[in-house]
PDB file of all heavy atoms in Angstrom:
ATOM      1  N   THR A 262       8.583 -11.042 -28.628  1.00 97.00           N
ATOM      2  CA  THR A 262       9.575 -11.539 -27.675  1.00 97.00           C
ATOM      3  C   THR A 262       9.794 -10.559 -26.526  1.00 97.00           C
ATOM      4  O   THR A 262       9.913  -9.348 -26.732  1.00 97.00           O
ATOM      5  CB  THR A 262      10.918 -11.778 -28.391  1.00 97.00           C
ATOM      6  OG1 THR A 262      10.733 -12.769 -29.407  1.00 97.00           O
ATOM      7  CG2 THR A 262      11.980 -12.252 -27.414  1.00 97.00           C
ATOM      8  N   LEU A 263       9.823 -11.095 -25.316  1.00 98.00           N
ATOM      9  CA  LEU A 263      10.191 -10.304 -24.143  1.00 98.00           C
ATOM     10  C   LEU A 263      11.669 -10.577 -23.877  1.00 98.00           C
ATOM     11  O   LEU A 263      12.051 -11.671 -23.462  1.00 98.00           O
ATOM     12  CB  LEU A 263       9.352 -10.692 -22.933  1.00 98.00           C
ATOM     13  CG  LEU A 263       9.419  -9.782 -21.695  1.00 98.00           C
ATOM     14  CD1 LEU A 263       8.277 -10.098 -20.729  1.00 98.00           C
ATOM     15  CD2 LEU A 263      10.751  -9.870 -20.949  1.00 98.00           C
ATOM     16  N   ASP A 264      12.497  -9.593 -24.141  1.00 98.00           N
ATOM     17  CA  ASP A 264      13.944  -9.754 -23.976  1.00 98.00           C
ATOM     18  C   ASP A 264      14.505  -8.599 -23.164  1.00 98.00           C
ATOM     19  O   ASP A 264      13.769  -7.785 -22.604  1.00 98.00           O
ATOM     20  CB  ASP A 264      14.623  -9.847 -25.345  1.00 98.00           C
ATOM     21  CG  ASP A 264      14.286  -8.669 -26.261  1.00 98.00           C
ATOM     22  OD1 ASP A 264      13.715  -7.660 -25.762  1.00 98.00           O
ATOM     23  OD2 ASP A 264      14.588  -8.751 -27.467  1.00 98.00           O
ATOM     24  N   ALA A 265      15.825  -8.532 -23.101  1.00 98.00           N
ATOM     25  CA  ALA A 265      16.483  -7.490 -22.314  1.00 98.00           C
ATOM     26  C   ALA A 265      16.129  -6.102 -22.825  1.00 98.00           C
ATOM     27  O   ALA A 265      15.991  -5.147 -22.040  1.00 98.00           O
ATOM     28  CB  ALA A 265      18.004  -7.693 -22.346  1.00 98.00           C
ATOM     29  N   ARG A 266      15.961  -5.986 -24.137  1.00 98.00           N
ATOM     30  CA  ARG A 266      15.569  -4.693 -24.713  1.00 98.00           C
ATOM     31  C   ARG A 266      14.228  -4.236 -24.155  1.00 98.00           C
ATOM     32  O   ARG A 266      14.045  -3.052 -23.828  1.00 98.00           O
ATOM     33  CB  ARG A 266      15.496  -4.808 -26.235  1.00 98.00           C
ATOM     34  CG  ARG A 266      14.806  -3.633 -26.922  1.00 98.00           C
ATOM     35  CD  ARG A 266      14.754  -3.817 -28.435  1.00 98.00           C
ATOM     36  NE  ARG A 266      13.831  -2.888 -29.063  1.00 98.00           N
ATOM     37  CZ  ARG A 266      12.553  -3.157 -29.371  1.00 98.00           C
ATOM     38  NH1 ARG A 266      12.074  -4.378 -29.110  1.00 98.00           N
ATOM     39  NH2 ARG A 266      11.776  -2.259 -29.922  1.00 98.00           N
ATOM     40  N   ALA A 267      13.289  -5.162 -24.023  1.00 98.00           N
ATOM     41  CA  ALA A 267      11.967  -4.802 -23.509  1.00 98.00           C
ATOM     42  C   ALA A 267      12.051  -4.348 -22.048  1.00 98.00           C
ATOM     43  O   ALA A 267      11.339  -3.426 -21.630  1.00 98.00           O
ATOM     44  CB  ALA A 267      11.015  -5.984 -23.637  1.00 98.00           C
ATOM     45  N   VAL A 268      12.904  -4.993 -21.263  1.00 98.00           N
ATOM     46  CA  VAL A 268      13.078  -4.602 -19.866  1.00 98.00           C
ATOM     47  C   VAL A 268      13.638  -3.186 -19.785  1.00 98.00           C
ATOM     48  O   VAL A 268      13.123  -2.326 -19.063  1.00 98.00           O
ATOM     49  CB  VAL A 268      14.000  -5.583 -19.133  1.00 98.00           C
ATOM     50  CG1 VAL A 268      14.302  -5.082 -17.718  1.00 98.00           C
ATOM     51  CG2 VAL A 268      13.370  -6.975 -19.081  1.00 98.00           C
ATOM     52  N   LYS A 269      14.710  -2.927 -20.520  1.00 98.00           N
ATOM     53  CA  LYS A 269      15.310  -1.593 -20.517  1.00 98.00           C
ATOM     54  C   LYS A 269      14.304  -0.542 -20.990  1.00 98.00           C
ATOM     55  O   LYS A 269      14.175   0.528 -20.387  1.00 98.00           O
ATOM     56  CB  LYS A 269      16.548  -1.584 -21.425  1.00 98.00           C
ATOM     57  CG  LYS A 269      17.167  -0.190 -21.629  1.00 98.00           C
ATOM     58  CD  LYS A 269      18.429  -0.268 -22.465  1.00 98.00           C
ATOM     59  CE  LYS A 269      18.877   1.108 -22.946  1.00 98.00           C
ATOM     60  NZ  LYS A 269      19.103   2.052 -21.826  1.00 98.00           N
ATOM     61  N   TYR A 270      13.585  -0.867 -22.046  1.00 98.00           N
ATOM     62  CA  TYR A 270      12.596   0.059 -22.597  1.00 98.00           C
ATOM     63  C   TYR A 270      11.530   0.400 -21.550  1.00 98.00           C
ATOM     64  O   TYR A 270      11.151   1.565 -21.372  1.00 98.00           O
ATOM     65  CB  TYR A 270      11.946  -0.568 -23.828  1.00 98.00           C
ATOM     66  CG  TYR A 270      10.931   0.304 -24.530  1.00 98.00           C
ATOM     67  CD1 TYR A 270      11.321   1.170 -25.556  1.00 98.00           C
ATOM     68  CD2 TYR A 270       9.580   0.244 -24.191  1.00 98.00           C
ATOM     69  CE1 TYR A 270      10.388   1.959 -26.215  1.00 98.00           C
ATOM     70  CE2 TYR A 270       8.644   1.035 -24.833  1.00 98.00           C
ATOM     71  CZ  TYR A 270       9.054   1.893 -25.852  1.00 98.00           C
ATOM     72  OH  TYR A 270       8.116   2.676 -26.496  1.00 98.00           O
ATOM     73  N   SER A 271      11.055  -0.607 -20.839  1.00 98.00           N
ATOM     74  CA  SER A 271       9.987  -0.411 -19.856  1.00 98.00           C
ATOM     75  C   SER A 271      10.429   0.499 -18.719  1.00 98.00           C
ATOM     76  O   SER A 271       9.677   1.382 -18.273  1.00 98.00           O
ATOM     77  CB  SER A 271       9.533  -1.760 -19.300  1.00 98.00           C
ATOM     78  OG  SER A 271       9.045  -2.600 -20.327  1.00 98.00           O
ATOM     79  N   ILE A 272      11.652   0.300 -18.226  1.00 98.00           N
ATOM     80  CA  ILE A 272      12.155   1.115 -17.121  1.00 98.00           C
ATOM     81  C   ILE A 272      12.473   2.525 -17.601  1.00 98.00           C
ATOM     82  O   ILE A 272      12.125   3.515 -16.940  1.00 98.00           O
ATOM     83  CB  ILE A 272      13.401   0.469 -16.484  1.00 98.00           C
ATOM     84  CG1 ILE A 272      13.099  -0.959 -16.015  1.00 98.00           C
ATOM     85  CG2 ILE A 272      13.918   1.319 -15.339  1.00 98.00           C
ATOM     86  CD1 ILE A 272      12.019  -1.068 -14.975  1.00 98.00           C
ATOM     87  N   ASP A 273      13.090   2.628 -18.757  1.00 98.00           N
ATOM     88  CA  ASP A 273      13.456   3.948 -19.281  1.00 98.00           C
ATOM     89  C   ASP A 273      12.234   4.808 -19.564  1.00 98.00           C
ATOM     90  O   ASP A 273      12.245   6.021 -19.335  1.00 98.00           O
ATOM     91  CB  ASP A 273      14.284   3.804 -20.556  1.00 98.00           C
ATOM     92  CG  ASP A 273      15.718   3.359 -20.287  1.00 98.00           C
ATOM     93  OD1 ASP A 273      16.146   3.422 -19.114  1.00 98.00           O
ATOM     94  OD2 ASP A 273      16.406   2.947 -21.249  1.00 98.00           O
TER      95      ASP A 273
END
Side-chain angles (χ1 to χ4, degrees):
T262 299
L263 191 166
D264 54 12
R266 167 181 166 265
V268 174
K269 173 177 167 57
Y270 182 90
S271 300
I272 304 299
D273 285 346

